[in-house]
């Protein structure tokens, strides 16, 4: 297989991963879990779902960490805002949207990263052989979400935008301290692309 996802007969995706690849992916997923933070406490089993929805207010301000800001962007404003848009009105709408959606989005991103960790924990390469990871059904979507979040996080840490991606990434000298993260970013992009192709 050679380090990329390939389609499985009957649906699904498979990839051969060696110890180092498993270790890197697991470490990145755990770091993503730490970045996203702990989840909200579970409501009581007999709690009214509607009351829980309106009682559990999420944050109203965007995160100050650039990586979290990329994972949880404002719903209104940004590049799509026109000159006629009132910035204060956009800020209010974004705050209200964030208040009702960010906690659920954090939960989903946490579950995606946790699914990656759990599936990697089940792999055991034998004697210099790569372990075969097979994903079918929902785990493929979880992996796809986590790979996307990992790339967004690394891009934020490296201050990479879509516009300058190719110009910056492929020209770094080997002694540049950003090189390992750039290599991880590119590798994750390859995994993401080949996983998408199997869907």
């Amino acid at each position: 297989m050679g380090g990329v996802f390939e389609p499985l007969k009957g649906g699904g995706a498979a990839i051969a991963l060696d110890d180092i690849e498993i270790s890197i992916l697991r470490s990145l997923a755990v770091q993503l879990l730490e970045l996203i933070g702990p989840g909200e406490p579970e409501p009581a089993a007999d709690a009214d779902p509607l009351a829980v929805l309106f009682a559990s207010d999420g944050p109203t301000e965007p995160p100050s960490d650039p990586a979290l800001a990329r994972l949880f962007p404002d719903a209104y404003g940004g590049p799509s805002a026109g000159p006629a848009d009132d910035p204060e009105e956009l800020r209010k709408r974004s705050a209200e949207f964030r208040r009702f959606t960010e906690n659920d989005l954090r939960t989903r991103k946490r579950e995606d990263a946790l699914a990656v960790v759990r599936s990697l924990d089940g792999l055991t390469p034998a004697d210099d052989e790569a372990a075969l990871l097979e994903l079918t059904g929902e785990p493929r979507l979880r992996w796809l979400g986590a790979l996307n979040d990992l790339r967004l996080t690394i891009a934020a840490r490296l201050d990479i935008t879509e516009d300058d991606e190719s110009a910056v990434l492929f020209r770094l000298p080997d002694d540049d301290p950003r090189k390992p993260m750039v290599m991880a970013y590119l590798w994750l992009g390859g995994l993401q692309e080949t996983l998408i192709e199997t869907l």
Side-chain angles (χ1 to χ4, degrees), residues 77-194:
S80 63
D85 290 324
D86 176 18
E88 184 57 26
E89 182 60 29
L90 292 175
R91 191 199 66 71
K92 285 179 185 176
R93 281 197 246 156
S94 288
E96 190 70 5
F97 185 82
R98 184 178 298 281
R99 179 176 152 230
F100 288 110
T101 62
E102 187 170 313
N103 285 341
D104 288 341
L105 187 56
R106 279 182 185 266
T107 298
R108 194 195 83 226
K109 289 179 181 298
R110 195 177 302 106
E111 288 170 356
D112 289 350
L114 193 55
V116 169
V117 171
R118 287 182 176 149
S119 60
L120 292 172
D121 283 348
L123 291 181
T124 50
D127 300 327
D128 296 331
E129 293 286 322
L132 186 64
L133 173 67
E134 295 184 354
L135 301 173
T136 56
E138 184 183 346
R140 283 190 303 172
L141 299 177
R142 295 266 180 216
W143 265 76
L144 195 56
L147 289 171
N148 187 61
D149 291 342
L150 287 170
R151 290 191 78 233
L152 287 172
T153 301
I154 292 171
R157 294 290 184 240
L158 293 170
D159 201 23
I160 296 170
T161 64
E162 284 185 35
D163 297 337
D164 63 5
E165 181 177 304
S166 60
V168 172
L169 298 183
F170 296 111
R171 293 191 177 94
L172 285 179
D174 289 340
D175 62 348
D176 189 305
R178 299 173 295 168
K179 187 78 171 198
M181 288 304 287
V182 167
M183 297 306 293
Y185 177 80
L186 294 171
W187 178 53
L188 292 169
L191 294 180
Q192 184 180 19
E193 184 178 334
T194 57

Side-chain angles (χ1 to χ4, degrees), residues 25-40:
L25 280 169
R26 189 181 190 289
S27 174
L28 290 172
V30 167
Q31 290 176 56
L32 181 62
L33 283 167
E34 291 169 355
L35 177 68
I36 293 169
E40 295 291 311

Side-chain angles (χ1 to χ4, degrees), residues 30-90:
V30 167
Q31 290 176 56
L32 181 62
L33 283 167
E34 291 169 355
L35 177 68
I36 293 169
E40 295 291 311
E42 287 291 320
D46 60 347
D48 176 21
L50 194 56
V52 169
L53 174 67
F54 288 104
S56 62
D57 285 349
T60 57
E61 295 299 319
S64 59
D65 183 311
L68 286 173
R70 188 130 352 149
L71 290 173
F72 306 105
D74 275 336
Y76 301 96
S80 63
D85 290 324
D86 176 18
E88 184 57 26
E89 182 60 29
L90 292 175

